[in-house]
Amino acid sequence: MATSSFNPGELANLLKDFPILSREVHPGVSLAYLDSAATSQKPASVIDAMDEYYRRTNANIHRGIHMLAEEATAKYEDARQKVARFINAHSEREIIFTRNTTEAINLVAYTWARANLKNGDLVILTEMEHHSNLVPWQILASERGIRLEFIPVTDEGLLDLDAYQQLLAQEPRLVSFMHMSNVLGTINPASEIVRMAHAAGAVALVDGAQSVPHFPVDVQDLDADFLAFSAHKMLGPTGIGVLYGKEALLNAMPPFLGGGDMIKKVMLRSFSANSLPHKFEAGTPAIAEGIGLGAAVDYLTHTGMDRIAAYEHELTSYALDRLSEVSGLTVIGPRAELRGGVAAFTLADIHPHDVAQLLDREGLAVRAGHHCAMPLHQRFDLPATTRASFYLYNTRADIDRLASALERVKKLFG
Amino acid sequence: MDDLYREIIIERYKDPLYRGELNPHDITFEDENPLCGDHIRIDLRVDEHGTVTEAAFSGHGCAISQASADLLLESVIGKSLDEVRGLGKQDILDLLGIELGPVRLKCALLSLKVLKAGVYGMGEASDDLVED
Ligand SMILES: Cc1ncc(COP(=O)(O)O)c(C=O)c1O
């Protein structure tokens, strides 16, 4: 990899930015947080930006004339610009703030899809999707009779692009897929999948919940029509997410929720919708959280997404090596070169809940279950897995702790 | 290593005394905990006085759910169905001898939920069955 990751001094400084990492989780037991795919920890700069907003600026945005309202509006809209630059959108009008990835995908399902899809139209998804990119389309399927097809997942945990090519012959209207799997870690060839979708005349939605936080994502390179992601997985707060959409598409879509802020004009029996992005943002938004997201983007940009990706890649390779030394442990998903910082595994026939609980005793925070991807687990014939996931604040020491704790779990159940 | 994994729990998980199926049976019920994919089936034989004479469980799950099923069935043999209907959350916690957080509590209570749904002859197991 061309880009260098962090040197030990940089890493030590970076760790100090995350206050939570210095807490004990049990008496005398320090935290090794290996659950960033669920939600990331927050640097002090993000916490401070939100704290500062409430202490000094708090006011409702967009309508007020007073100083606080103007400051609050400026900060909130400034965050939108930061997000637009971060993913290289043409304009901040293409950045719709939502609550999270889930709401961003639902927004497309409730507006674009309801305006454009009819009985019999095909939507292509994949077998590896998170429930948030399955259920909205299932709801639409039962409501309107749209058809769903799924790009299969190979035994190695990759999308079968030949099968995808064949599905495209059925002229789908939409292809909606995850950029990176939250279970397999697979980084899908998103630009290629989008290009193929466009060649078949379909619109492409990319679930960027696991990609945008971890490596550079450029919507111009990707050429996706929609990209959804959550602030809380990229060092930002919960309660705010993003739907990026190409401006022409967003303009042609009907609004989502109705209410204040999304209107230009309201009469007793009718309204006209506001311009982008406000058209899709009814009611008072998560203002502090938007500002927190802006601070998170600053942190990531300042640290360098290339370097974060390079560091996580090293860490993931190391983790896969260390985990492969634990006998009876099987990691699902592809080899290190094709994946991001996620390792879901089984350990002999020990139930993942037991594994996670015992790891917690040693201060290791991992996740056990189906990780909101039940169909994917069924595909691999597994009821559940244990998942360790990494971010820029994890170290080799965390992984060493994980590997040796897993040995002790095995011994207890041996 | 940990209180939750007291010897009795590991022991009953590894070598359960009441694992299996009873065919024929008088009562059978199965259900799962969708959160973790745990699945438990319980079969009972009951005599003419309404007393449980034999019990067995099958399925799969974590140590807490399996051990609690095994201990629960041990405790109901010789009890009347009325007594079984009266069992609650605290009885399971007493059997296990541990404290549990909300997530693991669901694992521990799955077998009681299945047992009571079967005894009540319900179509579906409800969480209300295991509230105290
Ligand atoms: C790939 C993927 N998509 C969607 C989501 C849903 O994100 P959120 O819960 O923030 O809406 C997640 C997070 O769990 C995810 O990993």
Side-chain angles (χ1 to χ4, degrees), chain A residues 14 17 49 86 94 132 173 231 237 281 293 307 324 326 342 359 393 402 410:
Chain A
L14 185 157
D17 294 334
F86 186 62
E94 297 179 318
S132 61
R173 301 292 313 281
E281 296 179 3
L293 169 58
R307 303 186 69 204
S324 73
V326 180
V342 169
L359 293 180
Y393 42 67
L402 174 66
K410 272 205 63 188

Side-chain angles (χ1 to χ4, degrees), chain A residues 96-377:
Chain A
I96 314 294
F97 283 142
T98 62
R99 277 192 306 143
N100 46 36
T101 305
T102 304
E103 191 177 270
I105 296 172
N106 274 275
L107 194 159
V108 177
Y110 277 86
T111 62
W112 178 85
R114 275 171 176 73
N116 289 284
L117 301 187
K118 55 182 191 314
N119 191 23
D121 281 351
L122 176 64
V123 170
I124 296 183
L125 309 169
T126 85
E127 284 181 349
M128 62 170 76
E129 293 315 303
H130 187 279
H131 297 164
S132 61
N133 194 27
L134 289 171
V135 181
W137 309 113
Q138 292 169 350
I139 292 174
L140 207 61
S142 64
E143 234 177 56
R144 303 235 138 157
I146 63 160
R147 289 185 302 127
L148 304 179
E149 291 291 347
F150 301 88
I151 307 175
V153 173
T154 66
D155 290 341
E156 203 198 345
L158 304 177
L159 291 179
D160 180 343
L161 294 187
D162 292 334
Y164 173 45
Q165 183 69 59
Q166 283 171 14
L167 284 173
L168 289 174
Q170 299 181 39
E171 298 187 358
R173 301 292 313 281
L174 173 71
V175 176
S176 186
F177 67 99
M178 52 177 24
H179 198 168
M180 175 178 143
S181 166
N182 61 319
V183 178
L184 302 164
T186 313
I187 298 174
N188 291 316
S191 309
E192 191 180 349
I193 295 170
V194 171
R195 189 177 48 70
M196 290 165 74
H198 286 164
V203 162
L205 187 161
V206 178
D207 171 354
Q210 298 294 344
S211 60
V212 173
H214 296 281
F215 50 87
V217 174
D218 178 323
V219 290
Q220 306 310 327
D221 289 348
L222 205 56
D223 199 25
D225 300 291
F226 298 109
L227 173 73
F229 53 99
S230 298
H232 71 90
K233 295 188 199 282
M234 52 189 284
L235 311 184
T238 54
I240 190 152
V242 175
L243 174 68
Y244 157 84
K246 285 184 182 163
E247 192 164 351
L249 267 173
L250 292 174
N251 269 325
M253 280 155 56
F256 181 33
L257 303 176
D261 234 30
M262 55 75 69
I263 47 87
K264 201 173 271 151
K265 201 168 155 194
V266 179
M267 283 71 65
L268 271 180
R269 294 184 191 281
S270 63
F271 73 95
S272 56
N274 203 341
S275 52
L276 291 176
H278 311 294
K279 170 181 165 184
F280 294 104
E281 296 179 3
T284 301
I287 303 168
E289 288 76 4
I291 292 164
L293 169 58
V297 166
D298 283 342
Y299 188 94
L300 291 170
T301 307
H302 178 252
T303 309
M305 288 306 291
D306 287 331
R307 303 186 69 204
I308 292 171
Y311 178 68
E312 283 184 31
H313 183 76
E314 286 173 13
L315 207 58
T316 306
S317 301
Y318 181 71
L320 292 181
D321 285 348
R322 290 288 283 138
L323 291 174
S324 73
E325 292 161 10
V326 180
S327 74
L329 189 148
T330 309
V331 176
I332 58 169
R335 57 191 186 275
E337 300 85 81
L338 299 176
R339 70 155 83 212
V342 169
F345 58 85
T346 55
L347 181 61
D349 58 358
I350 307 171
H351 196 286
H353 270 184
D354 295 321
V355 176
Q357 188 99 52
L358 288 165
L359 293 180
D360 171 69
R361 297 283 96 186
E362 303 201 25
L364 293 147
V366 300
R367 187 150 287 244
H370 50 60
H371 320 298
C372 293
M374 278 177 112
L376 179 68
H377 279 78

Side-chain angles (χ1 to χ4, degrees), chain A residues 349-351 353-354 357-358 361-362 369-370 374 383-384 408-409 412-414, chain B residues 1-2 4-5 10 13-14 34-38 60-64 104 107:
Chain A
D349 58 358
I350 307 171
H351 196 286
H353 270 184
D354 295 321
Q357 188 99 52
L358 288 165
R361 297 283 96 186
E362 303 201 25
H370 50 60
M374 278 177 112
R408 283 185 288 279
V409 173
L412 185 71
F413 280 93
Chain B
M1 183 136 117
D2 180 59
L4 260 186
Y5 293 87
I10 297 287
Y13 172 65
K14 283 189 191 162
L35 267 183
C36 44
D38 288 4
H60 55 83
C62 63
I64 305 286
R104 299 316 297 281
C107 307

Side-chain angles (χ1 to χ4, degrees), chain A residues 34-87:
Chain A
L34 296 170
D35 197 17
S36 293
T39 199
S40 66
Q41 296 303 346
K42 324 302 175 197
S45 61
V46 168
I47 301 167
D48 291 347
M50 294 171 67
D51 185 73
E52 172 78 4
Y53 165 76
Y54 278 125
R55 286 178 191 283
R56 285 193 45 86
T57 315
N58 178 52
N60 210 332
I61 54 171
H62 293 149
R63 291 169 292 264
I65 311 283
H66 55 77
M67 191 60 193
L68 297 189
E70 282 185 9
E71 277 182 25
T73 305
K75 282 184 167 194
Y76 186 70
E77 291 305 326
D78 187 41
R80 195 190 304 274
Q81 284 197 0
K82 287 174 183 172
V83 172
R85 276 197 298 273
F86 186 62
I87 59 168

